Amino acid sequence: MPPPRHVLGISAYYHDAAAALLRDGRIIAAAQEERFTRIKNDPDFPRQAIEFCLRYGGLNAGELDCVVFYDKPVLKFTRLLETYLAVAPGGWRTFPEVVSNWLGGKLDLRKTIREELPGLRAECPILFTAHHQAHAASAFYPSPFTEAAILTIDAVGEWATTTIGRGRGDTIELLKELRFPHSLGMLYSAFTDYCGFRINSGEYKLMGLAPYGEPLHTEAILRELLDLKADGSFWMNLDYFNFLRGTTMTNGRFHRLFGGPPRRPEEAIEQRHMDVARSIQAVTEEVVLRLARHARELTGEKDLCLAGGVALNCVANGRLLRDRVFDRIWIQPAASDAGGALGAAFAAWHAEQHESSLLRAKADEMQGALLGPEYSDEEIEATLRSHGARFQRLSTTGLLDATVDLLRAGKVIGWFQGRMEFGPRALGNRSILGDARSPRMQSIMNLKVKFRESFRPFAPIVRRERAAEYFDLTGESPYMLLVAPILPEWRLPVPAGLKGLELLKQARSTLPAVTHVDYSARIQTVARQDNPLLYELLWRFERATQCGVLVNTSFNVRGEPIVCTPEDAYRCFVHTEMDYLMLGNFVLDRAEQPARPAGRRVAPQTD
Ligand SMILES: [Fe+2]
């Protein structure tokens, strides 16, 4: 049988639903449902994301040759059932709710998908991949490698929580797996929850908090919570956790071990939380390192592909790179379940290849993760006119020059260009930009634009060929998924004796807005072929200032998804104190805009 021409991948019902469309094995479009519904991490069936993918591909549902869902609902249901039975009677408390949820749609997904896509041909197959098979496929097939080891680490799919595999050409072999409830993702989420951050989105904050603390509890974690083996496999001591019962993550025994009850989100962050964050981060890095070393031994491969939610832990990724466990590392930018949609589609397409089509040199197929919707000048102008906005339209050169001048003047710029990013990071098309040299930029962006008081610095963007002049980074980091230290020549001395959040106000380098308290930075390197406009902006800024680094943060306010449409961008602009908005070639100056509509101003809160 010839491989299916058009394959639609879908992920849904856990968190961050998404859709992805392939044509002849190439990615045409991919997007998360949250961007359209404006509900952060929206888990619902991704109706609008599918509609976008089909529209962008210029086809209707009747032209699809295959639809693939990113996990096996029956297996997942069996896992839930067995888990609940194992912990009965406690588990029965939430059992009826879970059963009705599954019986009410998730188990009969073929029917649901046909109902949602009524145009689908009767002969169009609806397939299911295993959850970690989808993660592994999302890590390997779009990577620049024709052969590689694959490591997937997340909370849980059906049963697997971690897998080691090998990709070669069109084939992925999963060689080993760790099974629920022994899960690095769940362990990290339990600590995220304990420190008062939201599970599935607050993990990034816990990682950002870690450098303020001391690893005082590392030994206790390894002694009490985790039996960690040399090959990175582990058993978790479930006496400290509650997640099998589905009500809370941790229990009283856990709280006693770490010196108190869980922090509520509105409570102040204490040194204790920072020490806990640092300790679990250190343990996570150790587990990831051991798993990676074992993957190398097992596969003999030189390169590594990573996916699964834990692959978003860019501090652990940076450590993996610096310890040179593998020669090269490629991380799927949509590493968590949104990327499962893409992986599922790839898995189905490659399953039908009869010759190894991939055993030839290839490039990163993610197209800079710029796989979402884009808007024409006419659409942007129509939106602006409908709001009575005041704007100017510039040539591309005029836009770049104006942006460089405004950045140099310390202005905060909304930068909305081209196709939206797929995955959790804004990579320069739905971004807010600023001058990384400004000592005040971090607090201006946090308080006037993002409406938060963050202990985390912003991410730097730098042209790929200039990155090594600022950061101790080997290779590239196109998806902002690697943390590396800023080089000593840019560092500033810090007075001794400062602890915890006292460190926050202290400039650490001549690029203070992007330097963390441990001198680390979460880097995005920009290649000309991935994003020519952003590359050109960085180059012009460097020519004007001798500094090749800018601040890049996502274009949204706290608690909202990244903006998708010109309408979203305009609304975000007028409701914040961003100075300028560059919407395609249109420039909006805050000072010239009509009075702001009432409401929506959010009080600043700590991260
Ligand atoms: Fe997952």
Side-chain angles (χ1 to χ4, degrees):
M1 248 195 4
R5 178 129 213 258
H6 289 115
V7 184
L8 179 72
I10 299 173
S11 66
Y13 299 135
Y14 182 45
H15 61 96
D16 219 4
L21 178 68
L22 301 186
R23 176 180 292 142
D24 298 326
R26 304 259 170 226
I27 310 168
I28 297 298
Q32 293 137 276
E33 186 69 358
E34 64 160 23
R35 306 289 164 86
F36 303 97
T37 61
R38 312 304 302 152
I39 300 167
K40 199 169 163 80
N41 302 129
D42 193 344
D44 257 3
F45 190 84
R47 268 168 223 115
Q48 296 190 56
I50 293 173
E51 198 185 299
F52 151 70
C53 287
L54 294 178
R55 194 171 59 242
Y56 199 89
L59 60 154
N60 57 50
E63 293 167 89
L64 287 171
D65 301 300
C66 181
V67 176
V68 203
F69 194 78
Y70 87 132
D71 70 10
K72 295 196 169 168
V74 175
L75 268 181
K76 191 184 257 183
F77 183 68
T78 315
R79 192 254 300 163
L80 286 171
L81 195 64
E82 288 185 21
T83 308
Y84 278 104
L85 290 176
V87 297
W92 290 101
R93 279 164 54 197
T94 50
F95 188 65
E97 191 189 317
V98 171
V99 172
S100 66
N101 206 347
W102 281 85
L103 296 181
K106 291 183 191 175
L107 264 185
D108 202 356
L109 258 173
R110 275 202 178 91
K111 187 160 161 263
T112 309
I113 289 171
R114 291 215 179 269
E115 281 167 5
E116 293 286 351
L117 294 167
L120 218 54
R121 288 174 296 129
E123 60 271 30
C124 174
I126 297 174
L127 309 175
F128 299 89
T129 61
H131 189 102
H132 277 258
Q133 192 187 359
H135 277 317
S138 79
F140 176 64
Y141 290 126
S143 81
F145 310 140
T146 50
E147 289 180 52
I150 307 168
L151 189 54
T152 67
I153 317 173
D154 72 352
V156 62
E158 296 91 1
W159 281 102
T161 61
T162 296
T163 70
I164 296 176
R166 181 200 290 121
R168 190 167 187 276
D170 288 306
T171 315
I172 288 177
E173 230 185 322
L174 293 184
L175 305 168
K176 274 194 162 178
E177 68 175 27
L178 277 175
R179 292 191 140 211
F180 185 83
H182 309 292
S183 160
L184 188 57
M186 297 284 258
L187 180 72
Y188 206 86
S189 291
F191 279 92
T192 302
D193 182 56
Y194 178 71
C195 288
F197 305 117
R198 263 183 58 188
I199 295 171
N200 290 332
S201 60
E203 284 77 4
Y204 239 66
K205 296 176 185 172
L206 192 71
M207 185 184 77
L209 188 63
Y212 293 100
E214 298 296 329
L216 304 179
H217 306 286
T218 304
E219 269 177 43
I221 296 172
L222 288 171
R223 189 184 62 238
E224 298 290 330
L225 303 189
L226 208 65
D227 180 10
L228 178 62
K229 311 289 187 206
D231 64 2
S233 65
F234 56 86
W235 284 84
M236 275 162 70
N237 182 354
L238 298 175
D239 293 347
Y240 286 92
F241 300 93
N242 227 8
F243 56 74
L244 286 187
R245 288 170 170 80
T247 47
T248 54
M249 292 298 281
T250 52
N251 61 21
R253 197 166 166 187
F254 184 103
H255 308 157
R256 282 191 292 281
L257 186 62
F258 297 105
R263 173 183 161 259
R264 285 200 208 100
E266 65 281 6
E267 284 173 357
I269 297 171
E270 296 165 10
Q271 189 62 42
R272 176 171 86 82
H273 304 116
M274 300 173 199
D275 297 338
V276 166
R278 176 73 184 272
S279 307
I280 187 59
Q281 178 63 31
V283 170
T284 301
E285 289 170 26
E286 185 57 34
V287 177
V288 172
L289 274 173
R290 288 189 193 193
L291 285 168
R293 283 194 202 110
H294 187 55
R296 173 133 201 184
E297 278 163 22
L298 207 60
T299 63
E301 295 292 345
K302 298 191 306 297
D303 300 320
L304 175 71
C305 299
L306 277 170
V310 178
L312 295 173
N313 193 311
C314 40
V315 178
N317 298 343
R319 173 110 187 261
L320 209 52
L321 190 67
R322 270 195 304 290
D323 282 21
R324 301 205 59 81
V325 182
F326 282 90
D327 293 1
R328 293 180 296 171
I329 298 175
W330 190 87
I331 308 149
Q332 164 56 242
S336 63
D337 285 2
L342 191 60
F346 270 124
W349 194 80
H350 286 282
E352 294 297 336
Q353 293 293 315
H354 299 296
E355 284 167 32
S356 196
S357 62
L358 277 181
L359 279 176
R360 52 177 160 69
K362 64 177 185 121
D364 182 331
E365 305 266 336
M366 286 300 291
Q367 304 159 41
L370 305 174
L371 300 168
E374 62 188 333
Y375 298 87
S376 66
D377 279 358
E378 290 69 35
E379 287 170 296
I380 294 172
E381 189 169 352
T383 302
L384 294 178
R385 291 205 184 281
S386 75
H387 287 283
R390 305 227 171 89
F391 58 87
Q392 246 190 304
R393 185 178 184 165
L394 302 176
S395 66
T396 301
T397 310
L399 173 84
L400 290 165
D401 287 342
T403 307
V404 168
D405 289 344
L406 292 168
L407 287 166
R408 289 180 74 184
K411 303 298 182 193
V412 178
I413 314 277
W415 184 254
F416 180 104
Q417 306 289 340
R419 297 186 73 178
M420 182 179 72
E421 297 84 351
F422 180 51
R425 306 275 82 84
L427 299 169
N429 278 9
R430 300 289 185 276
S431 288
I432 299 169
L433 305 178
D435 188 340
R437 299 169 304 166
S438 160
R440 292 176 51 240
M441 188 51 65
Q442 187 177 354
S443 76
I444 292 173
M445 279 185 159
N446 271 325
L447 296 175
K448 291 187 162 183
V449 180
K450 307 283 274 197
F451 302 139
R452 64 182 188 190
E453 282 180 88
S454 182
F455 46 80
R456 295 174 296 158
F458 291 108
I461 46 173
V462 60
R463 287 190 297 141
R464 185 169 65 181
E465 52 273 37
R466 297 282 280 150
E469 292 171 38
Y470 296 94
F471 307 102
D472 180 11
L473 176 75
T474 319
E476 56 180 336
S477 176
Y479 306 119
M480 211 189 269
L481 286 173
L482 288 166
V483 161
I486 192 161
L487 290 175
E489 55 263 44
W490 306 102
R491 297 183 187 185
L492 297 173
V494 173
L498 294 181
K499 262 189 102 182
L501 290 177
E502 290 166 358
L503 292 161
L504 178 61
K505 303 272 184 278
Q506 191 66 46
R508 300 251 130 193
S509 78
T510 51
L511 300 169
V514 297
T515 311
H516 211 330
V517 292
D518 59 355
Y519 296 106
S520 68
R522 187 161 45 97
I523 303 157
Q524 182 195 349
T525 56
V526 181
R528 187 191 285 277
Q529 72 268 23
D530 286 341
N531 197 331
L533 190 71
L534 188 67
Y535 183 93
E536 186 68 23
L537 179 69
L538 281 163
W539 185 72
R540 283 171 188 251
F541 184 78
E542 182 177 339
R543 216 170 41 171
T545 64
Q546 315 308 313
C547 173
V549 178
L550 286 172
V551 176
N552 173 17
T553 185
S554 54
F555 196 150
N556 62 335
V557 293
R558 187 178 183 274
E560 286 194 357
I562 294 172
V563 298
C564 176
T565 63
E567 174 85 23
D568 299 335
Y570 180 76
R571 280 177 190 277
C572 187
F573 173 65
V574 296
H575 285 101
T576 63
E577 291 177 44
M578 218 178 290
D579 299 306
Y580 286 83
L581 173 60
M582 306 326 210
L583 207 49
N585 281 13
F586 297 89
V587 178
L588 285 79
D589 177 347
R590 145 149 327 284
E592 292 175 2
Q593 300 310 309
R596 178 160 63 200
R600 273 284 314 274
R601 185 73 159 79
V602 191
Q605 292 182 39
T606 304
D607 230 343

